Amino acid sequence: AQRVTQPEKLLSVFKGAPVELKCNYSYSGSPELFWYVQYSRQRLQLLLRHISRESIKGFTADLNKGETSFHLKKPFAQEEDSAMYYCALSSGGGSNYKLTFGKGTLLTVNP
Amino acid sequence: DAGITQSPRHKVTETGTPVTLRCHQTENHRYMYWYRQDPGHGLRLIHYSYGVKDTDKGEVSDGYSVSRSKTEDFLLTLESATSSQTSVYFCAIRPTSGVTYFGPGTRLTVT
């Protein structure tokens, strides 16, 4: 069975500090991984998708198949980054592209 | 917003009553999903659909049923609401781009 683990429920940093949100996964196939962000009481929005290798809002994430990780990083956190972040894994077409989510990390960036 | 709407956006209901939530999409995508979001659990899949009249159970389907008689609408029914079904419900669609998009959510309270 596939699983996504986000070990930190809460993460608090100061503005300008680096931030890393951890995500580990278990999956027997070739994973497709995503980071979603949810600002207060809003819908989930896609932040990053591993195959696109983009940097969005200064965030990057690299898939490490050896360590089965997809950690989210930003070198200088901003107050507007305060939000809930979810790591998610897609099961692929054979399983109708269902997403399995981690439990989320609430990031607070203090002034 | 990827053309996804949910109704109602907020609902308070009593234990034992049936409740139906509606998800509507404007772009005729094949895949649609219902998730519930709870603190400490992240998002969990309730049911999903891979076409008209084609639906299947997700991780937490007990007490829920779904129907999809038209491509654009995916209905979630709580057959007899319980307090444990108090949650925020998100509908999602997956276009061929490979990214899953979420609706604005329905906040349901069962008293």
Side-chain angles (χ1 to χ4, degrees):
Chain A
Q2 60 200 58
R3 178 174 292 182
V4 176
T5 302
Q6 294 180 249
E8 306 129 333
K9 292 177 65 174
L10 304 170
L11 186 61
S12 181
V13 301
F14 286 102
K15 177 181 173 181
V19 62
E20 181 179 47
L21 289 83
K22 291 184 168 54
C23 172
N24 289 92
Y25 68 90
S26 63
Y27 184 58
S28 57
S30 183
E32 185 170 13
L33 287 150
F34 303 84
W35 276 100
Y36 282 86
V37 61
Q38 185 182 32
Y39 301 103
S40 181
R41 295 203 166 207
Q42 295 185 21
R43 72 178 74 198
L44 276 77
Q45 305 172 34
L46 177 71
L47 182 62
L48 284 175
R49 180 183 184 187
H50 91 269
I51 62 172
S52 65
R53 300 187 65 80
E54 293 177 289
S55 173
I56 305 293
K57 299 184 180 183
F59 285 96
T60 59
D62 290 316
L63 178 61
N64 185 323
K65 292 186 178 181
E67 296 184 356
T68 60
S69 69
F70 188 55
H71 302 327
L72 184 68
K73 300 177 184 179
K74 185 169 184 177
F76 308 104
Q78 302 299 314
E79 290 180 65
E80 55 265 32
D81 296 329
S82 296
M84 179 69 85
Y85 291 81
Y86 290 100
C87 183
L89 183 152
S90 174
S91 58
S95 297
N96 295 298
Y97 304 106
K98 295 175 287 187
L99 286 178
T100 299
F101 285 86
K103 295 184 178 182
T105 298
L106 180 62
L107 173 66
T108 301
V109 181
N110 300 295
Chain B
D1 63 1
I4 311 170
T5 57
Q6 293 184 231
S7 58
R9 294 293 314 280
H10 301 271
K11 186 170 182 66
V12 180
T13 192
E14 293 184 348
T15 299
T17 61
V19 176
T20 295
L21 309 183
R22 179 179 182 244
C23 177
H24 178 79
Q25 60 153 327
T26 58
E27 299 185 12
N28 294 322
H29 296 300
R30 178 181 176 192
Y31 295 97
M32 299 185 76
Y33 310 85
W34 276 108
Y35 289 87
R36 61 177 289 175
Q37 181 184 39
D38 303 289
H41 291 278
L43 281 89
R44 293 177 291 174
L45 182 65
I46 306 171
H47 280 279
Y48 63 98
S49 171
Y50 45 96
V52 173
K53 300 192 190 305
D54 291 323
T55 64
D56 206 348
K57 296 178 179 180
E59 177 187 356
V60 290
S61 60
D62 287 349
Y64 301 95
S65 62
V66 289
S67 67
R68 192 168 179 200
S69 59
K70 299 185 292 183
T71 301
E72 59 266 35
D73 289 326
F74 192 31
L75 304 180
L76 176 71
T77 297
L78 288 66
E79 294 142 9
S80 177
T82 68
S83 58
S84 64
Q85 293 176 312
T86 292
S87 187
V88 181
Y89 291 85
F90 286 98
C91 176
I93 62 170
R94 185 195 178 278
T96 54
S97 65
V99 175
T100 300
Y101 294 95
F102 288 82
T106 294
R107 190 169 295 272
L108 176 68
T109 302
V110 183
T111 61

